[in-house]
Amino acid sequence: MADFKELYDLDPYRKEFDAAVVSCTEHHGTYEVILDQTAFYPEGGGQPADHGTLNNVNVLDVHEKAQGIIHTCDAPLTPGEKVHGTIDWDRRFDFMQNHSGEHIVSGLIHKMTGFDNVGFHMGEVIQIDFSGPLTEDQMREIEIQANRIVMRNEPVKALFPSSEELETIDFRSKKELSGIVRLIEIEDADLCACCGTHVRNTGEIGLIKLLSMQKHKKGVRIEMLSGMRAFRYVQKAMSENHKVSVALSAKELETSDAVNALLKTSELKDVRIREVSESLLKYRLNEYESGQKLIIDFEDDLDRNVLRRHGNDLAEKAETAAVISGDETKWNYFIISKTVNLKDKAKLINEALNGRGGGSAEMIQGSFAGEKEKIETELKRILG
Ligand SMILES: [Zn+2]
């Protein structure tokens, strides 16, 4: 394979090429094809493989193995056959934009903090892991600097230094290097050993957007997008913000103020609703005659504190009072008694009604499930 040509390396903008089939081997229903040259980029360095076609055969995956670059195809090709290869260019160019954007961001973070890119994954979003933590302010600053590099339309250069030169250059690298090293240089942003595909000039990246930063091991994981994917993300985010702005009659750049005002109003309403429902509960206490043996009361959606208070109020009208709130899938219960040892009964109640909970001899609380009638029957049987 001495004269094998990796066309994606010589010209990452090559979308079509001609080649001869060297071999084709069936493997679990797919066909592993080796060509005498290829423009298909094999998965590597965090960049996914190219897709496309060889004649009318689909290329599903591309990997570099000891025997050469393997094109995994959905139909067989004949050794010796001439093929015309076409790269799925939208997919590849998206990877070139996102990969080049990642160089700029990783390079700038390295310059600013000295931290290294220790993990890189291109999925739906691009994830990069750094060896140390960054602040939100640093992240915003990196995003601004990265987009300035894009707007300056810097050339993305490939350098092939000799091993002697290499020892004198300070560059980023993700692994131990051997053989000829290709350095990717973007002035004022990055110098990094890399075998992936890149855009010619940073202007082609279009936009770099950092989406999020989370703690990861001893450093952080940053999610980012570049190119058309970043643009679509911003478009979607703006469309969501526009809907919020219309719904709240707020200016598009003042939606968070409007949402906070709405939340505050909603909290006040919650407080008011709680007050009203509690006074209603107090009023309804009059419906119960005093001196009863057992009161079982079902209520809609009381929070645990109100449930407890209402139970204590009902206990003045009965020897034993049970307040149950929720719906058939889950009821919260509070039971209080002057005559029954509830500690002994909690287990029976939980068993009968698929529940959990407990407490003291005088008071138990927890949750169970079931229809109202069944709960009433079981509680009368156990507590009556
Ligand atoms: Zn690269």
Side-chain angles (χ1 to χ4, degrees):
M1 278 282 177
D3 50 359
F4 178 79
K5 285 201 197 91
E6 292 157 344
L7 302 170
Y8 54 84
D9 237 5
L10 301 169
D11 176 12
Y13 285 80
R14 184 93 176 238
K15 303 175 184 72
E16 296 188 27
F17 66 102
D18 292 301
V21 175
V22 174
S23 67
C24 177
T25 328
E26 208 239 311
H27 183 75
H28 297 306
T30 58
Y31 299 87
E32 297 192 332
V33 174
I34 295 181
L35 304 172
D36 65 343
Q37 60 175 4
T38 189
F40 278 91
Y41 179 78
E43 183 187 325
Q47 184 175 329
D50 284 339
H51 291 172
T53 54
L54 292 170
N55 291 348
N56 296 321
V57 167
N58 291 310
V59 177
L60 311 170
D61 204 359
V62 188
H63 280 93
E64 189 161 15
K65 290 188 181 162
Q67 63 268 43
I69 291 178
I70 311 281
H71 305 71
T72 303
C73 298
D74 66 351
L77 291 163
T78 314
E81 186 182 353
K82 298 282 178 204
V83 286
H84 185 72
T86 307
I87 308 294
D88 176 343
W89 183 248
D90 286 346
R91 176 180 161 90
R92 159 71 87 72
F93 189 64
D94 169 72
F95 291 147
M96 283 162 59
Q97 287 180 310
N98 278 284
H99 182 96
S100 305
E102 179 268 323
H103 269 278
I104 295 175
V105 169
S106 294
L108 289 173
I109 289 177
H110 184 71
K111 268 177 193 291
M112 181 188 273
T113 63
F115 298 141
D116 286 312
N117 173 328
V118 289
F120 173 43
H121 175 70
M122 293 179 87
E124 234 172 85
V125 295
I126 286 53
Q127 290 179 332
I128 29 181
D129 300 337
F130 289 91
S131 53
L134 272 88
T135 64
E136 289 290 332
D137 283 348
Q138 282 175 317
M139 180 148 135
R140 287 302 132 222
E141 180 56 28
I142 291 289
E143 190 178 53
I144 291 167
Q145 285 184 21
N147 282 286
R148 284 210 175 107
I149 298 286
V150 169
M151 288 170 207
R152 269 164 46 181
N153 203 21
E154 293 288 343
V156 179
K157 293 181 205 148
L159 313 176
F160 298 91
S162 67
S163 49
E164 294 79 40
E165 285 172 310
L166 209 54
E167 283 179 21
T168 66
I169 307 175
D170 182 22
F171 61 95
R172 296 194 303 118
S173 172
K174 287 164 203 162
K175 54 182 181 184
E176 280 301 306
L177 301 165
S178 59
I180 300 169
V181 172
R182 185 176 72 163
L183 294 182
I184 297 300
E185 183 186 50
I186 303 168
E187 204 172 297
D188 291 339
D190 197 26
L191 184 60
C192 180
C194 186
C195 57
T197 56
H198 311 88
V199 295
R200 283 189 201 105
N201 294 289
T202 57
E204 289 177 72
I205 298 168
L207 175 64
I208 294 177
K209 196 83 201 82
L210 303 187
L211 307 181
S212 69
M213 176 171 71
Q214 283 182 325
K215 273 175 80 91
H216 182 73
K217 294 182 181 165
K218 284 181 180 158
V220 284
R221 168 168 289 176
I222 288 178
E223 292 193 329
M224 64 175 287
L225 288 175
S226 297
M228 206 58 193
R229 268 204 255 180
F231 174 78
R232 282 198 204 97
Y233 183 92
V234 172
Q235 204 175 36
K236 177 91 174 72
M238 285 188 68
S239 146
E240 287 297 308
N241 189 54
H242 178 70
K243 288 179 207 162
V244 175
S245 131
V246 170
L248 300 182
S249 304
K251 289 182 183 163
E252 301 228 353
L253 296 182
E254 292 171 11
T255 45
S256 71
D257 287 347
V259 169
N260 285 330
L262 185 70
L263 286 176
K264 191 135 191 93
T265 313
S266 161
E267 273 168 31
L268 292 174
K269 279 185 179 159
D270 283 348
V271 170
R272 188 72 196 123
I273 288 168
R274 239 187 339 261
E275 284 168 2
V276 169
S277 58
E278 278 198 65
S279 44
L280 189 65
L281 283 175
K282 288 258 186 223
Y283 177 78
R284 287 201 7 239
L285 285 175
N286 299 326
E287 289 172 11
Y288 296 96
E289 282 171 33
S290 294
Q292 295 191 59
K293 197 165 184 313
L294 172 66
I295 294 176
I296 299 171
D297 180 30
F298 286 89
E299 296 290 343
D300 291 335
D301 232 9
L302 302 184
D303 77 33
R304 283 182 186 273
N305 290 330
V306 179
L307 188 77
R308 205 186 162 108
R309 272 203 291 281
H310 186 53
N312 281 314
D313 286 342
L314 280 179
E316 306 203 345
K317 305 265 183 172
E319 289 173 19
T320 304
V323 187
I324 296 137
S325 171
D327 60 43
E328 280 174 17
T329 58
K330 190 193 174 192
W331 300 97
N332 289 319
Y333 68 80
F334 175 83
I335 305 173
I336 180 164
S337 181
K338 295 189 269 286
T339 52
V340 180
N341 184 338
L342 292 175
K343 209 172 175 100
D344 300 339
K345 304 291 186 187
K347 197 160 171 262
L348 298 174
I349 292 170
N350 290 334
E351 270 170 11
L353 297 167
N354 194 22
R356 51 173 56 192
S360 64
E362 297 81 27
M363 184 277 290
I364 54 172
Q365 58 190 339
S367 63
F368 47 52
E371 288 174 10
K372 272 188 186 181
E373 291 71 27
K374 185 182 178 196
I375 290 168
E376 226 156 352
T377 312
E378 292 295 338
L379 289 183
K380 277 180 187 159
R381 179 176 68 79
I382 296 167
L383 301 170

